[in-house]
Amino acid sequence: MKKLLSVLLALSLILSLAAGAAVAETTYVYINGATVHVRDGAGTEYWSLGIAHKGEALVYKNSIVTDDRGVDWYKVSFKGTTGYVSSRYASFDKNGVKYVYVKGNTVNVRESNNLKAKIIAIVHKNERLTYTATAKDSRGVVWYKVFVGSKTGWISSRYASTSSSWDETSYVKASNGQTWVRKNPSLSGAKLTVLEEGDYAEYLGEKSRDSRGVLWYKVKFDGKTGWVSSRYTKIV
């Protein structure tokens, strides 16, 4: 009986370890340049530890360092040691580096793609973040999986954009509570989607006044084109 219990306990321990191993997630950095130096520090002035070749996958060590030129360097495992590889020649995506640009003034990065998820970092307008994946929440809003220093979290597409031309585009901000995006510039227009206070929608350059004299802005938000009232929004 004791022998059977020992065997069962050992089996249980093995299964627990296996389950733990399955949960662990390894992130890789892929080499995009033909031959790329992996260096012992985050900068071209540091010694080369060796050469990595195009298509090679290096284990990411949860750290991004920006050099004095503004170039990001990824900390990676390489030939039994750790080093840094430039984001100009490597990325988290096999097809190249993918970035999102923060468009809200102060934006929460959360533990998962959910508004109720724990906040792990706060980022600011025009910051550039590397992202590796996208997912939609229960409302259908797209979130980006991003790196903030050594942390990985999620940022809503309502506050970040894959376009670097954010400052070249006009936006309408919901500034007075929740407001509906309507099919027509009128309170009788069909509701298409909703802007929460602080949300940004792309302004399409058209204005219209309803029968009350209230100004409406034509916008694009969540893939839908419609109108929002100036009583609850402003152009920024």
Side-chain angles (χ1 to χ4, degrees):
M1 186 65 179
K2 289 183 178 179
K3 185 175 182 180
L4 177 60
L5 286 173
S6 297
V7 171
L8 290 174
L9 286 171
L11 181 60
S12 176
L13 179 59
I14 291 170
L15 290 174
S16 297
L17 290 173
V23 170
E25 181 181 349
T26 302
T27 302
Y28 293 93
V29 170
Y30 298 92
I31 303 301
N32 297 320
T35 55
V36 178
H37 288 281
V38 179
R39 300 185 180 274
D40 64 357
T44 55
E45 70 273 19
Y46 290 92
W47 287 103
S48 173
L49 299 173
I51 299 292
H53 300 277
K54 189 171 184 177
E56 193 172 342
L58 305 178
V59 175
Y60 174 61
K61 301 300 290 183
N62 298 320
S63 180
I64 300 175
V65 178
T66 304
D67 66 18
D68 55 10
R69 298 170 302 153
V71 177
D72 289 337
W73 291 74
Y74 306 129
K75 189 175 183 179
V76 296
S77 290
F78 182 71
K79 294 184 177 179
T81 186
T82 56
Y84 291 84
V85 62
S86 170
S87 62
R88 290 186 172 180
Y89 309 106
S91 73
F92 294 103
D93 183 82
K94 291 181 180 179
N95 299 316
V97 184
K98 298 188 293 186
Y99 295 115
V100 291
Y101 300 83
V102 180
K103 61 189 184 184
N105 289 326
T106 55
V107 179
N108 296 323
V109 178
R110 298 183 181 272
E111 200 169 50
S112 62
N113 58 321
N114 187 308
L115 284 175
K116 295 182 180 179
K118 179 182 177 183
I119 298 170
I120 64 164
I122 295 176
V123 292
H124 302 279
K125 190 173 183 178
N126 295 328
E127 279 191 54
R128 187 186 72 179
L129 307 172
T130 300
Y131 83 96
T132 61
T134 60
K136 290 185 178 180
D137 63 19
S138 58
R139 302 167 300 156
V141 176
V142 173
W143 291 66
Y144 302 109
K145 187 177 183 181
V146 297
F147 286 90
V148 183
S150 61
K151 300 176 181 178
T152 304
W154 294 82
I155 186 171
S156 169
S157 62
R158 290 188 170 184
Y159 308 106
S161 170
T162 55
S163 172
S164 61
S165 60
W166 160 256
D167 288 328
E168 300 169 12
T169 306
S170 293
Y171 286 80
V172 168
K173 180 182 179 181
S175 56
N176 188 21
Q178 188 184 72
T179 185
W180 288 99
V181 179
R182 296 181 181 270
K183 187 174 182 179
N184 301 306
S186 166
L187 287 176
S188 61
K191 296 174 180 178
L192 301 177
T193 185
V194 69
L195 285 172
E196 303 291 343
E197 185 166 354
D199 279 353
Y200 291 81
E202 184 179 349
Y203 175 51
L204 299 179
E206 291 186 44
K207 301 176 183 178
S208 179
R209 290 190 183 274
D210 62 20
S211 58
R212 302 166 301 155
V214 175
L215 192 64
W216 291 71
Y217 305 124
K218 190 173 185 179
V219 299
K220 185 175 182 180
F221 184 71
D222 275 354
K224 297 179 176 65
T225 299
W227 298 81
V228 292
S229 170
S230 62
R231 290 189 170 180
Y232 306 100
T233 60
K234 62 181 180 180
I235 297 175
V236 294

